[in-house]
PDB file of all heavy atoms in Angstrom:
ATOM      1  N   GLY B  98     -16.609  -5.128   2.424  1.00 95.00           N
ATOM      2  CA  GLY B  98     -17.530  -4.367   1.517  1.00 95.00           C
ATOM      3  C   GLY B  98     -19.021  -4.707   1.695  1.00 95.00           C
ATOM      4  O   GLY B  98     -19.339  -5.867   2.033  1.00 95.00           O
ATOM      5  N   SER B  99     -19.847  -3.732   1.416  1.00 94.00           N
ATOM      6  CA  SER B  99     -21.305  -4.026   1.624  1.00 94.00           C
ATOM      7  C   SER B  99     -21.873  -5.069   0.681  1.00 94.00           C
ATOM      8  O   SER B  99     -22.833  -5.719   1.103  1.00 94.00           O
ATOM      9  CB  SER B  99     -22.081  -2.677   1.435  1.00 94.00           C
ATOM     10  OG  SER B  99     -21.937  -2.223   0.121  1.00 94.00           O
ATOM     11  N   TYR B 100     -21.254  -5.321  -0.397  1.00 94.00           N
ATOM     12  CA  TYR B 100     -21.701  -6.396  -1.215  1.00 94.00           C
ATOM     13  C   TYR B 100     -20.979  -7.778  -1.222  1.00 94.00           C
ATOM     14  O   TYR B 100     -21.244  -8.706  -1.879  1.00 94.00           O
ATOM     15  CB  TYR B 100     -21.613  -5.924  -2.723  1.00 94.00           C
ATOM     16  CG  TYR B 100     -22.561  -4.718  -3.036  1.00 94.00           C
ATOM     17  CD1 TYR B 100     -22.127  -3.567  -3.435  1.00 94.00           C
ATOM     18  CD2 TYR B 100     -23.981  -4.917  -2.891  1.00 94.00           C
ATOM     19  CE1 TYR B 100     -22.985  -2.554  -3.711  1.00 94.00           C
ATOM     20  CE2 TYR B 100     -24.869  -3.930  -3.052  1.00 94.00           C
ATOM     21  CZ  TYR B 100     -24.297  -2.665  -3.572  1.00 94.00           C
ATOM     22  OH  TYR B 100     -25.266  -1.696  -3.762  1.00 94.00           O
ATOM     23  N   ASP B 101     -19.988  -7.734  -0.276  1.00 92.00           N
ATOM     24  CA  ASP B 101     -19.269  -8.951   0.001  1.00 92.00           C
ATOM     25  C   ASP B 101     -20.185 -10.063   0.628  1.00 92.00           C
ATOM     26  O   ASP B 101     -20.875  -9.730   1.587  1.00 92.00           O
ATOM     27  CB  ASP B 101     -18.017  -8.759   0.895  1.00 92.00           C
ATOM     28  CG  ASP B 101     -16.979  -7.850   0.164  1.00 92.00           C
ATOM     29  OD1 ASP B 101     -17.147  -7.703  -1.048  1.00 92.00           O
ATOM     30  OD2 ASP B 101     -16.098  -7.323   0.888  1.00 92.00           O
ATOM     31  N   GLN B 102     -20.197 -11.239   0.003  1.00 90.00           N
ATOM     32  CA  GLN B 102     -21.023 -12.271   0.483  1.00 90.00           C
ATOM     33  C   GLN B 102     -20.461 -12.976   1.761  1.00 90.00           C
ATOM     34  O   GLN B 102     -21.285 -13.424   2.629  1.00 90.00           O
ATOM     35  CB  GLN B 102     -21.243 -13.177  -0.674  1.00 90.00           C
ATOM     36  CG  GLN B 102     -21.983 -12.733  -1.775  1.00 90.00           C
ATOM     37  CD  GLN B 102     -23.445 -12.283  -1.535  1.00 90.00           C
ATOM     38  OE1 GLN B 102     -24.128 -13.133  -0.806  1.00 90.00           O
ATOM     39  NE2 GLN B 102     -23.850 -11.146  -1.952  1.00 90.00           N
ATOM     40  N   GLN B 103     -19.159 -12.996   1.870  1.00 95.00           N
ATOM     41  CA  GLN B 103     -18.548 -13.724   3.030  1.00 95.00           C
ATOM     42  C   GLN B 103     -17.979 -12.698   3.924  1.00 95.00           C
ATOM     43  O   GLN B 103     -17.579 -11.631   3.586  1.00 95.00           O
ATOM     44  CB  GLN B 103     -17.515 -14.621   2.416  1.00 95.00           C
ATOM     45  CG  GLN B 103     -18.067 -15.894   1.631  1.00 95.00           C
ATOM     46  CD  GLN B 103     -17.011 -16.912   1.457  1.00 95.00           C
ATOM     47  OE1 GLN B 103     -15.797 -16.546   1.366  1.00 95.00           O
ATOM     48  NE2 GLN B 103     -17.438 -18.123   1.205  1.00 95.00           N
ATOM     49  N   ASN B 104     -18.003 -13.182   5.187  1.00 96.00           N
ATOM     50  CA  ASN B 104     -17.342 -12.277   6.213  1.00 96.00           C
ATOM     51  C   ASN B 104     -15.756 -12.243   5.963  1.00 96.00           C
ATOM     52  O   ASN B 104     -15.161 -13.269   5.625  1.00 96.00           O
ATOM     53  CB  ASN B 104     -17.588 -12.841   7.649  1.00 96.00           C
ATOM     54  CG  ASN B 104     -19.006 -12.613   8.065  1.00 96.00           C
ATOM     55  OD1 ASN B 104     -19.774 -11.794   7.478  1.00 96.00           O
ATOM     56  ND2 ASN B 104     -19.532 -13.405   9.057  1.00 96.00           N
ATOM     57  N   ALA B 105     -15.242 -11.106   6.191  1.00 96.00           N
ATOM     58  CA  ALA B 105     -13.799 -10.945   6.016  1.00 96.00           C
ATOM     59  C   ALA B 105     -13.066 -11.548   7.117  1.00 96.00           C
ATOM     60  O   ALA B 105     -13.461 -11.542   8.308  1.00 96.00           O
ATOM     61  CB  ALA B 105     -13.513  -9.408   5.849  1.00 96.00           C
ATOM     62  N   THR B 106     -11.898 -11.983   6.783  1.00 97.00           N
ATOM     63  CA  THR B 106     -10.928 -12.594   7.821  1.00 97.00           C
ATOM     64  C   THR B 106      -9.562 -12.183   7.351  1.00 97.00           C
ATOM     65  O   THR B 106      -9.190 -12.078   6.224  1.00 97.00           O
ATOM     66  CB  THR B 106     -11.024 -14.181   7.882  1.00 97.00           C
ATOM     67  OG1 THR B 106     -10.671 -14.640   6.569  1.00 97.00           O
ATOM     68  CG2 THR B 106     -12.378 -14.610   8.302  1.00 97.00           C
ATOM     69  N   GLU B 107      -8.777 -11.785   8.476  1.00 96.00           N
ATOM     70  CA  GLU B 107      -7.321 -11.499   8.307  1.00 96.00           C
ATOM     71  C   GLU B 107      -6.560 -11.996   9.447  1.00 96.00           C
ATOM     72  O   GLU B 107      -6.536 -11.490  10.489  1.00 96.00           O
ATOM     73  CB  GLU B 107      -7.102  -9.968   8.193  1.00 96.00           C
ATOM     74  CG  GLU B 107      -7.677  -9.309   6.953  1.00 96.00           C
ATOM     75  CD  GLU B 107      -6.894  -9.459   5.670  1.00 96.00           C
ATOM     76  OE1 GLU B 107      -5.709 -10.010   5.851  1.00 96.00           O
ATOM     77  OE2 GLU B 107      -7.324  -8.981   4.627  1.00 96.00           O
ATOM     78  N   GLY B 108      -6.088 -13.208   9.269  1.00 97.00           N
ATOM     79  CA  GLY B 108      -5.289 -13.857  10.442  1.00 97.00           C
ATOM     80  C   GLY B 108      -6.193 -14.041  11.692  1.00 97.00           C
ATOM     81  O   GLY B 108      -7.146 -14.740  11.549  1.00 97.00           O
ATOM     82  N   ARG B 109      -5.767 -13.375  12.709  1.00 98.00           N
ATOM     83  CA  ARG B 109      -6.538 -13.612  14.011  1.00 98.00           C
ATOM     84  C   ARG B 109      -7.821 -12.643  14.012  1.00 98.00           C
ATOM     85  O   ARG B 109      -8.586 -12.738  14.997  1.00 98.00           O
ATOM     86  CB  ARG B 109      -5.793 -13.309  15.170  1.00 98.00           C
ATOM     87  CG  ARG B 109      -4.618 -14.265  15.381  1.00 98.00           C
ATOM     88  CD  ARG B 109      -3.890 -13.988  16.716  1.00 98.00           C
ATOM     89  NE  ARG B 109      -3.308 -12.691  16.696  1.00 98.00           N
ATOM     90  CZ  ARG B 109      -3.606 -11.738  17.553  1.00 98.00           C
ATOM     91  NH1 ARG B 109      -4.667 -11.908  18.427  1.00 98.00           N
ATOM     92  NH2 ARG B 109      -3.029 -10.562  17.553  1.00 98.00           N
ATOM     93  N   TYR B 110      -8.025 -11.832  13.010  1.00 98.00           N
ATOM     94  CA  TYR B 110      -9.129 -10.989  12.915  1.00 98.00           C
ATOM     95  C   TYR B 110     -10.277 -11.420  11.983  1.00 98.00           C
ATOM     96  O   TYR B 110      -9.898 -11.805  10.887  1.00 98.00           O
ATOM     97  CB  TYR B 110      -8.711  -9.532  12.465  1.00 98.00           C
ATOM     98  CG  TYR B 110      -7.596  -9.026  13.346  1.00 98.00           C
ATOM     99  CD1 TYR B 110      -6.343  -8.910  12.782  1.00 98.00           C
ATOM    100  CD2 TYR B 110      -7.876  -8.534  14.610  1.00 98.00           C
ATOM    101  CE1 TYR B 110      -5.234  -8.350  13.517  1.00 98.00           C
ATOM    102  CE2 TYR B 110      -6.732  -7.963  15.317  1.00 98.00           C
ATOM    103  CZ  TYR B 110      -5.539  -7.835  14.798  1.00 98.00           C
ATOM    104  OH  TYR B 110      -4.502  -7.356  15.588  1.00 98.00           O
ATOM    105  N   SER B 111     -11.434 -11.335  12.443  1.00 98.00           N
ATOM    106  CA  SER B 111     -12.531 -11.597  11.549  1.00 98.00           C
ATOM    107  C   SER B 111     -13.713 -10.603  11.779  1.00 98.00           C
ATOM    108  O   SER B 111     -13.789 -10.045  12.883  1.00 98.00           O
ATOM    109  CB  SER B 111     -13.079 -13.093  11.749  1.00 98.00           C
ATOM    110  OG  SER B 111     -13.530 -13.284  13.103  1.00 98.00           O
ATOM    111  N   LEU B 112     -14.468 -10.353  10.739  1.00 98.00           N
ATOM    112  CA  LEU B 112     -15.482  -9.381  10.946  1.00 98.00           C
ATOM    113  C   LEU B 112     -16.818 -10.111  10.700  1.00 98.00           C
ATOM    114  O   LEU B 112     -17.043 -10.817   9.728  1.00 98.00           O
ATOM    115  CB  LEU B 112     -15.322  -8.302   9.772  1.00 98.00           C
ATOM    116  CG  LEU B 112     -16.021  -6.995  10.002  1.00 98.00           C
ATOM    117  CD1 LEU B 112     -15.237  -5.885   9.237  1.00 98.00           C
ATOM    118  CD2 LEU B 112     -17.480  -7.061   9.509  1.00 98.00           C
TER     119      LEU B 112
END
Side-chain angles (χ1 to χ4, degrees):
Chain B
S99 59
Y100 292 120
D101 293 343
Q102 295 296 314
Q103 294 194 330
N104 287 345
T106 60
E107 292 282 353
R109 294 188 298 113
Y110 305 106
S111 60
L112 200 152

